[in-house]
Amino acid sequence: MNAQEVEIRIIGSLSEIDAAEWDACACPEAVDGGRPNDPFTTHRFLKALEDSGSVGPGTGWQPQYLTARIEGQIVAVAPLYAKSHSQGEYIFDHSWAHAYEQAGGRYYPKLQIAVPHTPATGRRFLTRPGFENAGFGALVQGAVQLTENNGLSSLHVTFCTTEEAARAQEFGLMARKSQQFHWRNQGYPDFNAFLDTLSSRKRKNMRKERATAQAFGGTIETFTGDDLRPEHWDAFWVFYQDTGARKWGQPYLTRRFFDIAQDVLRDDMALVLAQREGRWVAGAMNFIGADKLYGRYWGCIEHHSCLHFELCYYQAIDIAIAMGLGTVEAGAQGEHKLARGYLPTPTWSLHWMRDPGFARAVGDYLEAERAAVEEEIEVLTEYGPFKRTEVEEQE
């Protein structure tokens, strides 16, 4: 197939495309009812954001979903948004925006291929099996052309896969290397087996933290699927509001999102809640992929020593081991995760700037930044909690 035979269309709502058509591109591995590799690019998750008002008018995330068709069949899709700010992206370009506007340009609106409010790596150019080359090329070129035709400053693709980052550079996009902290399951039968791989000092510290957290005076439970109840979301919404207000000024997700999640996303979620004296006092929300657990949000109404570490990191490891998942992605930033067994892991984004001079400046910046990130990953890995032989094996 050549590029001329592919028709690109923009749709403003996922209600305009059948869920099965979207998911045939986004998660073909789940077509027979299996768990999707990436729960965040499914039709149900993205539509929950849309239907709940977490994206759309007034949010700075205006859907402009890309679809690619060959002879009327949808062969590729991408979650594309017009952005009027840089919030909820977790790959920071505020300095680029400032420099561009100081030079007299208009940085916003820009285009963003991403899962809103979600710093989790996954495919961004979603292609139906058998149409990988034609679909990928059509989506990349279509997004660039849309940016060019509308006189927009830039196109960004955040938390794409390593393979997508390599391929997209052939189309003129620039790759940016960042890092997160991920936990890797080496086939551990239980948490103690994982602890056995750590240096004695780190092993002792983790046991102490878990004991301290679990002595907070209550119980910790994990809920998923049909065990989740609306009252659990009532409690978690309070936690989420508190964290959102402190971190971002206001929460990214609306209350309606959690109601929709109860209806259509509960099989994709694992909610860890701490209860004391008859009320929920803290919680951590995770999403479940075919081989990954994704830590997303945490909050509390009472402070208890080490409870954050327990609910967000140690309970996530317990869940991953129990479910046989290979990785826990614990979200953006946080070098404190290193001491809890989460190693630095590269992440990738892609960027295209319409102005050639601006593109050169950004390219120079990315080259220097990439070297610094690679050095930091090497240093942090060296100082990780594992025994030396274990670090070498994971590398």
Side-chain angles (χ1 to χ4, degrees):
M1 295 285 179
N2 59 51
Q4 285 70 39
E5 296 174 308
V6 184
E7 178 189 8
I8 293 290
R9 295 183 192 173
I10 299 168
I11 59 175
S13 171
L14 284 179
S15 62
E16 299 177 36
I17 183 172
D18 184 75
E21 285 190 295
W22 180 279
D23 287 344
C25 301
C27 53
E29 69 282 352
V31 69
D32 294 325
R35 193 178 291 282
N37 292 333
D38 181 356
F40 302 115
T41 53
T42 60
H43 188 277
R44 58 183 177 269
F45 179 86
L46 294 172
K47 195 167 187 296
L49 293 178
E50 190 182 319
D51 290 348
S52 66
S54 301
V55 302
T59 68
W61 290 86
Q62 190 60 42
Q64 302 281 291
Y65 308 109
L66 282 183
T67 66
R69 290 171 167 84
I70 294 178
E71 296 180 353
Q73 181 188 38
I74 292 179
V75 299
V77 296
L80 176 68
Y81 300 84
K83 291 297 305 297
S84 60
H85 55 61
S86 291
Q87 273 69 54
E89 297 172 9
Y90 302 93
I91 297 294
F92 302 109
D93 63 347
H94 299 90
S95 61
W96 301 355
H98 180 71
Y100 194 63
E101 293 180 355
Q102 284 289 101
R106 183 185 179 195
Y107 194 72
Y108 303 105
K110 61 179 183 175
L111 291 183
Q112 188 99 9
I113 295 177
V115 176
H117 323 308
T118 307
T121 292
R123 290 189 305 131
R124 295 294 174 259
F125 302 98
L126 309 172
T127 56
R128 186 186 291 266
F131 295 90
E132 289 84 357
N133 290 331
F136 183 90
L139 291 174
V140 173
Q141 293 177 65
V144 168
Q145 194 65 51
L146 187 62
T147 309
E148 181 78 60
N149 290 351
N150 286 278
L152 303 180
S153 69
S154 52
L155 166 71
H156 308 265
V157 184
T158 42
F159 295 100
C160 62
T161 66
T162 302
E163 294 75 19
E164 287 176 323
R167 290 186 66 190
Q169 290 180 77
E170 300 172 9
F171 293 86
L173 277 67
M174 297 178 289
R176 184 178 192 180
K177 192 173 190 178
S178 306
Q179 68 160 321
Q180 290 182 340
F181 293 87
H182 297 175
W183 180 83
R184 306 289 183 185
N185 189 352
Q186 303 297 320
Y188 304 121
D190 52 37
F191 194 88
N192 284 331
F194 158 62
L195 287 179
D196 287 343
T197 66
L198 307 180
S199 66
S200 59
R201 184 170 64 88
K202 295 297 184 182
R203 183 167 59 247
K204 181 179 179 181
N205 183 65
M206 286 192 197
R207 283 179 172 147
K208 182 180 179 181
E209 285 187 345
R210 294 209 77 175
T212 299
Q214 292 173 4
F216 79 104
T219 59
I220 297 171
E221 297 180 69
T222 297
F223 302 92
T224 188
D226 290 341
D227 290 333
L228 281 166
R229 295 285 185 267
E231 55 266 29
H232 296 144
W233 297 117
D234 290 338
F236 189 76
W237 171 246
V238 176
F239 309 149
Y240 174 70
Q241 278 186 298
D242 177 69
T243 300
R246 285 185 288 104
K247 282 192 173 183
W248 318 301
Q250 64 180 30
Y252 290 142
L253 301 177
T254 66
R255 178 64 182 86
R256 175 69 177 143
F257 174 84
F258 297 98
D259 292 333
I260 296 173
Q262 172 66 22
D263 290 338
V264 302
L265 297 172
R266 62 181 181 271
D267 288 337
D268 300 322
M269 307 175 82
L271 187 63
V272 183
L273 293 174
Q275 187 179 59
R276 193 177 76 90
E277 296 181 353
R279 68 170 185 163
W280 304 112
V281 298
M285 187 176 80
N286 305 276
F287 276 80
I288 309 166
D291 194 44
K292 290 184 180 180
L293 187 75
Y294 302 88
R296 289 303 303 115
Y297 299 108
W298 139 271
C300 65
I301 56 173
E302 293 182 1
H303 173 75
H304 296 279
S305 182
C306 299
L307 195 59
H308 171 252
F309 301 145
E310 175 66 22
L311 267 60
C312 292
Y313 308 133
Y314 300 141
Q315 288 286 325
I317 291 172
D318 281 340
I319 293 169
I321 290 173
M323 297 187 70
L325 304 177
T327 305
V328 177
E329 291 195 16
Q333 289 94 45
E335 291 185 8
H336 60 279
K337 297 167 187 170
L338 186 68
R340 276 103 206 158
Y342 291 72
L343 287 178
T345 304
T347 60
W348 293 95
S349 58
L350 293 161
H351 308 273
W352 184 87
M353 311 295 171
R354 185 168 59 88
D355 182 274
F358 187 45
R360 285 193 295 272
V362 169
D364 291 342
Y365 172 86
L366 293 180
E367 185 176 352
E369 183 187 49
R370 188 178 303 115
V373 169
E374 289 171 354
E375 181 178 1
E376 183 175 19
I377 289 175
E378 184 177 348
V379 170
L380 289 174
T381 302
E382 178 71 25
Y383 285 93
F386 293 93
K387 299 172 184 175
R388 186 62 232 169
T389 54
E390 177 70 15
V391 171
E392 290 170 354
E393 288 174 3
Q394 293 207 31
E395 290 175 339

